Every structure is written in C-alpha cells, then in structure tokens.
C-alpha cells in the first residue's frame, strides 16, 4: 500500500491564482480530511469527508473548496490564492470507527506571493 | 470551546533519560486520543491510539496513559535516543464531534548525544 499520497510537494503561487492540491489513499478509508499547519497555530481542519459525495466544513474553510467523487481521491481547491494561505497542507484518512488511527500524507508546502 | 494543550512547547534532554510529555484537554468526554510524531519537513506518524475505555497503551519504549477525569494524557519515553528528536503532537476526538480531531500545538523534543 502507498498509504496517503499528496501532490505536489512544493508550490509557489501568485496572489489570485487558483490551483488544486491532490490527495489519494489506497486503504479504502471512508473518512478523509485536509489540515493546514502554521507556526504557533497547530493543525487546523479545513474540510473533511465521511464518504464519496459527502463533504463538510472544518474550522477554517474559507477560500477552499473540496469534492469527493471517489473513495480514493479528495482534492483541495484554492479558488483565488491569498498570502494568508501560505502554509503546509496535510491530507489524512482513516476508517469510520473509533478503533483506527489517522494516517497522514507527506504534506504540500504552499507559498503565495 | 474544546481545546488541547501541550506543555512544554520544547524540551531538551541528554541521551538515556526517561521523559514525559504532557497533553491536557478541556472536556473529559472523549472518543479517543492519539499521539503522533512529526519529523522536520515531514508528515505525521501515528505512535499510539488510546480508546476512551483504556487507561494506557504501550509500544516498545513508548507508553501513553489516559486519565479522562483530570483531562490529561502523558507520553512516556524510556531511555531516550537522539533518533527520538522530533515534534510530538496529541490529537483528541471529543464525543460531541467525534468525526473531527483537535490537535495540540506539540512539544518539540531534542535528545542530545
């Protein structure tokens, strides 16, 4: 199993540009989520999904869109990038029960100029 | 508001020492608690998952305990090694919103040879 994969690893955008961060998992996990990690603010939940076709907002959803058309993929779209979105983005997945651990991807480091 | 706190933010110890990392949470009604390790520039790796009905979990030199009534968990690392140097994060799933994880800001551990 590859686990949770994310692309790209690094990205530089200009203010106002849009882009999609890719996330995929091959563990047949129902639950997938996106976090951003900023110094001094820990990990904050952006959006999550409990299965294909179902998504919901987390703590900091503004400026981001998600969709879940398949169990495996959960892309995160930045609609119009802003410098405040400079961060490290992590995708995670787990089964929909209390016994399973959460598995994280390696992260995407995004800089918005 | 349900919060997770980790103190201290940073800890430096000599190799071979036993040490304890702390995680406190504001609501004792939790679903489970998970400890992660994060190396610089990398994603999060799960270390131990404790269910709400459990008091502790062990893996090798690591032992995590859970005391819901006091809102605390500790991660005990025995005979620390330089390879243990990393940031350690705890994440709590609270009963009122068990689908989501709330993360502490982490404790950055440095083990000096």
């Amino acid at each position: 199993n590859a686990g949770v994969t994310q692309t790209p690893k690094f990205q530089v955008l200009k203010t106002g540009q849009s882009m999609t961060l890719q996330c995929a998992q091959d563990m047949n996990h129902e639950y997938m989520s996106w976090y951003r990690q900023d110094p001094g603010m820990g990990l904050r939940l952006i959006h999550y999904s409990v299965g294909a076709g179902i998504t919901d907002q987390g703590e900091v959803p503004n400026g981001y869109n998600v969709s879940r058309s398949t169990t495996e993929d959960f892309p995160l779209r930045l609609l119009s990038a802003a410098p405040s979105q400079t961060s490290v983005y992590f995708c995670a997945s787990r089964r929909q029960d209390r016994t399973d651990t959460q598995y994280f991807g390696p992260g995407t480091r995004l800089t918005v100029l | 508001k349900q919060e997770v706190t980790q103190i201290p933010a940073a800890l430096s110890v000599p190799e071979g020492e036993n040490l304890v990392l702390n995680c406190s949470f504001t609501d004792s009604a939790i679903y489970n608690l998970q400890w992660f390790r994060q190396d610089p520039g990398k994603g999060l790796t799960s270390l131990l998952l404790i269910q709400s009905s459990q008091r502790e979990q062990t893996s090798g030199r690591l032992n995590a305990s859970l005391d819901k009534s006091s809102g605390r968990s500790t991660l005990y690392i025995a005979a620390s090694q330089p390879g243990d140097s990393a940031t350690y994060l705890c994440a709590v799933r609270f009963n009122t919103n068990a689908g989501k994880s709330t993360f502490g800001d982490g404790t950055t551990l440095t083990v000096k040879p």
Side-chain angles (χ1 to χ4, degrees):
Chain A
N1 286 352
V4 181
T5 58
Q6 290 183 239
T7 56
K9 291 186 178 179
F10 301 95
Q11 183 70 50
V12 179
L13 292 177
K14 295 181 180 179
T15 297
Q17 287 184 316
S18 62
M19 78 158 295
T20 299
L21 279 63
Q22 301 292 342
C23 174
Q25 52 92 9
D26 61 359
M27 297 173 280
N28 203 31
H29 286 169
E30 301 93 341
Y31 185 94
M32 296 185 73
S33 54
W34 277 101
Y35 294 88
R36 59 178 290 174
Q37 186 175 38
D38 303 288
M41 304 195 75
L43 277 115
R44 293 180 291 169
L45 183 65
I46 305 171
H47 284 286
Y48 66 99
S49 168
V50 298
I54 306 170
T55 63
D56 204 350
Q57 297 180 347
E59 275 182 85
V60 289
N62 292 342
Y64 307 95
N65 270 0
V66 291
S67 60
R68 183 97 179 268
S69 56
T70 66
T71 300
E72 295 77 20
D73 299 298
F74 191 43
L76 178 72
R77 282 182 288 277
L78 279 69
L79 308 173
S80 177
S84 61
Q85 293 178 304
T86 293
S87 186
V88 182
Y89 291 85
F90 289 102
C91 179
S93 75
R94 61 171 170 78
R95 288 202 312 262
Q96 267 288 80
D97 60 47
R98 66 166 65 227
T99 62
D100 201 22
T101 63
Q102 193 161 202
Y103 297 87
F104 278 77
T108 294
R109 187 173 296 273
L110 175 69
T111 302
V112 182
L113 303 175
Chain B
K1 184 180 178 182
Q2 293 166 329
E3 295 181 340
V4 178
T5 304
Q6 293 183 250
I7 295 174
L11 181 65
S12 180
V13 300
E15 181 177 5
E17 218 173 80
N18 302 324
L19 61 101
V20 172
L21 305 180
N22 297 298
C23 172
S24 60
F25 42 93
T26 53
D27 183 349
S28 62
I30 71 169
Y31 198 69
N32 62 31
L33 183 148
Q34 192 167 357
W35 282 94
F36 292 89
R37 169 187 174 135
Q38 184 176 28
D39 293 292
K42 303 292 185 182
L44 281 69
T45 301
S46 178
L47 297 174
L48 291 164
L49 173 70
I50 308 178
Q51 302 300 337
S52 61
S53 58
Q54 297 174 321
R55 294 298 302 264
E56 65 178 353
Q57 281 284 348
T58 298
S59 176
R61 294 183 293 109
L62 305 179
N63 176 277
S65 68
L66 175 64
D67 183 346
K68 289 188 300 180
S69 61
S70 66
R72 289 189 61 194
S73 176
T74 60
L75 179 66
Y76 175 84
I77 303 177
S80 58
Q81 304 169 358
D84 294 329
S85 298
T87 296
Y88 292 81
L89 298 103
C90 71
V92 177
R93 290 169 63 183
F94 293 99
N95 284 348
T96 52
N97 205 338
K100 303 178 184 179
S101 294
T102 301
F103 282 81
D105 288 345
T107 295
T108 299
L109 173 67
T110 302
V111 181
K112 297 181 178 180

